[in-house]
Amino acid sequence: KKVEPKHDAKILNLIESLQANDISLKEVYASNGQIEIGIRQNSFLSVENSVLFTMQSLREAQIDQFEEVTIKNYTFGSLVTKHEVDLKENSLSRKPLENMLPEDAKLFYADENFPRTIFNISPSLKTFIASREQFLLGGLIINADATTYFSEGLYLDTKIGYSITDNFKKLSLDPVTTFPAQVRSDIKDYLKGMSDGIHIQRFELNYLKKNKNNYFSLKAGILEQMFSGAGFEYLNLDQFDNFAFGFEAFQVKKRDYKQNFDHLDYEIFTGHFNFYHYYNPLNLTTHISMGRYLAGDDGVTIDFSKRFKNGFKLGAFATFTDVSTEDFGEGSFDKGIYVTIPISGFNQDGQTGFRWSPLTKDPGQKLNLSHRIFNVIDKYIY
């Protein structure tokens, strides 16, 4: 969006122009013909777009007298990337995060007020495909999402749902195979539980921190529809490399089918070593993870996903564990496809998704976390 300057103070014009493009101004440093602009944003799925829109706002605010312009992207209070802008070619090049302008060159810094809450109410469709009772079952759910930030890296993420109408009560047939433990094959009981009133989909406290190329994440609370618990994730990611590695570890307990604060009698430690590789010519990410799954089986998951320029992501995965083909039953091993679609409107993060596996089995099942570090950071790096 183009915003005409309204104020004598150019910094106010810059703030208004950035806000019109869903970008928040964090800081401005200027010295000896150089200017550094620090921004925060979650709307753009491409870091190049966020930088170019920031340059557009600089021009609209008539801040164009500098010979060298650097745009810094922040997320959860940490500096993730720096890009130097070639004003003649209108092109970008990455810069090391070090060697910033001195503190006495600071012209502007935005103080955040905490705590603060972002609240959103939106409808969603919940579907269950290819059950033995009926090919397609579904319901209309009203979701209330609230994110309360206590600091830039510490926040409480809450999602509560209420079923306006659904036909999940038609689900009556028990799963054929429940080996080695029933962690996902009882999905029908959770779907039927959604009809009993308000259900809690997520209630988790998150803490994210960055130190150089090291990213850390702590989570505790109701992590997803079927499990609550606490855990830790670590990721090593250098913005100049096309690979990253790390691990995650969680102690979790099975939730009650009514999806409140009660639990069933099942608890387990689950964790994985993660390796990511990004192939730039195809915008293709390969994710290989090895470790222990929710049913206590051990193995490896191979995941391929392609991200398109408009933010659309298409992926496929396959999981092989120490559960034999005979014990796994029909399908032999877990596999599926998923898509992530960029939207505007109801969703706070501007994306919605769909994941489909031909069979709901227990082996090879991971936690359905709201996010993993790589999926938060990758849009700023690649």
Side-chain angles (χ1 to χ4, degrees):
K1 298 178 182 179
K2 185 175 182 180
V3 177
E4 296 295 333
K6 304 175 184 176
H7 308 280
D8 293 333
K10 293 183 179 181
I11 194 69
L12 295 179
N13 295 324
L14 176 62
I15 292 172
E16 285 192 358
S17 180
L18 288 171
Q19 288 177 340
N21 290 290
D22 296 323
I23 299 173
S24 173
L25 180 63
K26 178 179 175 66
E27 61 191 18
V28 178
Y29 287 75
S31 176
N32 299 323
Q34 296 176 282
I35 186 170
E36 290 185 350
I37 311 292
I39 61 171
R40 290 174 289 206
Q41 63 85 26
N42 289 309
S43 299
F44 294 95
L45 300 177
S46 165
V47 68
E48 287 83 2
N49 287 340
S50 70
V51 172
L52 292 175
F53 269 97
T54 302
M55 288 302 304
Q56 173 186 306
S57 295
L58 278 171
R59 296 188 186 99
E60 291 173 358
Q62 299 176 356
I63 304 176
D64 52 8
Q65 71 272 28
F66 293 93
E67 299 175 3
E68 183 179 318
V69 178
T70 301
I71 309 298
K72 302 183 290 187
N73 265 279
Y74 285 83
T75 184
F76 295 106
S78 298
L79 177 60
V80 181
T81 58
K82 288 175 64 177
H83 287 83
E84 184 175 340
V85 182
D86 187 322
L87 299 177
K88 295 181 179 179
E89 301 293 333
N90 203 32
S91 60
L92 314 178
S93 59
R94 291 187 199 170
K95 295 183 64 177
L97 302 186
E98 299 79 16
N99 303 322
M100 292 189 288
L101 291 177
E103 191 66 20
D104 59 10
K106 182 190 295 184
L107 297 181
F108 172 84
Y109 184 83
D111 287 320
E112 288 288 335
N113 295 319
F114 298 104
R116 59 186 176 89
T117 300
I118 300 173
F119 182 75
N120 183 55
I121 296 179
S122 63
S124 67
L125 292 174
K126 184 73 173 181
T127 59
F128 190 59
I129 301 174
S131 70
R132 287 177 292 150
E133 294 87 350
Q134 188 173 317
F135 178 75
L136 178 63
L137 295 167
L140 177 62
I141 312 298
I142 289 292
N143 298 313
D145 300 88
T147 304
T148 300
Y149 291 90
F150 303 101
S151 68
E152 289 194 271
L154 178 65
Y155 64 98
L156 179 67
D157 193 8
T158 304
K159 185 172 185 178
I160 297 174
Y162 179 80
S163 176
I164 296 177
T165 179
D166 68 70
N167 56 0
F168 294 131
K169 292 296 187 183
K170 293 183 179 180
L171 296 168
S172 58
L173 299 177
D174 292 331
V176 176
T177 307
T178 58
F179 181 90
Q182 196 169 13
V183 295
R184 294 294 187 200
S185 58
D186 53 354
I187 178 61
K188 294 180 181 180
D189 294 310
Y190 286 94
L191 292 174
K192 289 187 290 185
M194 294 172 62
S195 303
D196 297 332
I198 294 175
H199 54 279
I200 304 172
Q201 302 176 50
R202 189 166 57 251
F203 186 80
E204 63 179 29
L205 187 65
N206 293 266
Y207 178 70
L208 284 88
K209 186 68 176 177
K210 176 179 181 288
N211 181 18
K212 297 182 179 179
N213 295 329
N214 303 297
Y215 295 82
F216 307 89
S217 172
L218 294 171
K219 288 177 177 288
I222 296 175
L223 305 176
E224 51 140 294
Q225 183 181 34
M226 298 186 184
F227 287 91
S228 62
F232 173 83
E233 184 187 3
Y234 165 77
L235 183 73
N236 183 284
L237 174 59
D238 187 325
Q239 65 164 329
F240 295 102
D241 291 334
N242 62 350
F243 64 88
F245 60 89
F247 66 90
E248 60 189 73
F250 288 85
Q251 184 72 30
V252 295
K253 195 167 186 179
K254 197 79 157 44
R255 296 183 63 198
D256 184 78
Y257 297 134
K258 292 184 178 181
Q259 297 160 72
N260 47 35
F261 290 100
D262 296 328
H263 293 86
L264 303 176
D265 188 23
Y266 182 78
E267 187 172 358
I268 193 168
F269 173 83
T270 178
H272 290 83
F273 292 99
N274 295 304
F275 175 81
Y276 300 88
H277 179 268
Y278 184 77
Y279 184 59
N280 190 66
L282 296 178
N283 295 325
L284 181 70
T285 298
T286 301
H287 176 201
I288 300 174
S289 60
M290 298 172 287
R292 171 154 294 181
Y293 296 84
L294 289 170
D297 49 329
D298 301 315
V300 58
T301 297
I302 303 172
D303 183 301
F304 298 99
S305 62
K306 177 177 173 60
R307 187 179 65 207
F308 296 85
K309 289 185 177 180
N310 62 358
F312 179 86
K313 181 186 284 187
L314 175 64
F317 67 92
T319 299
F320 307 89
T321 75
D322 55 3
V323 175
S324 67
T325 299
E326 293 76 16
D327 288 330
F328 188 94
E330 182 184 1
S332 302
F333 62 94
D334 192 48
K335 62 273 192 182
I337 60 173
Y338 60 92
V339 297
T340 302
I341 305 169
I343 62 172
S344 60
F346 291 118
N347 248 32
Q348 281 185 22
D349 60 3
Q351 299 183 68
T352 187
F354 173 78
R355 178 185 176 100
W356 178 75
S357 295
L359 295 167
T360 302
K361 295 296 186 78
D362 296 307
Q365 300 300 316
K366 288 184 176 183
L367 287 171
N368 293 327
L369 299 176
S370 57
H371 64 261
R372 287 180 167 84
I373 298 175
F374 185 86
N375 302 120
V376 174
I377 303 300
D378 68 335
K379 70 178 180 179
Y380 297 100
I381 305 294
Y382 304 118

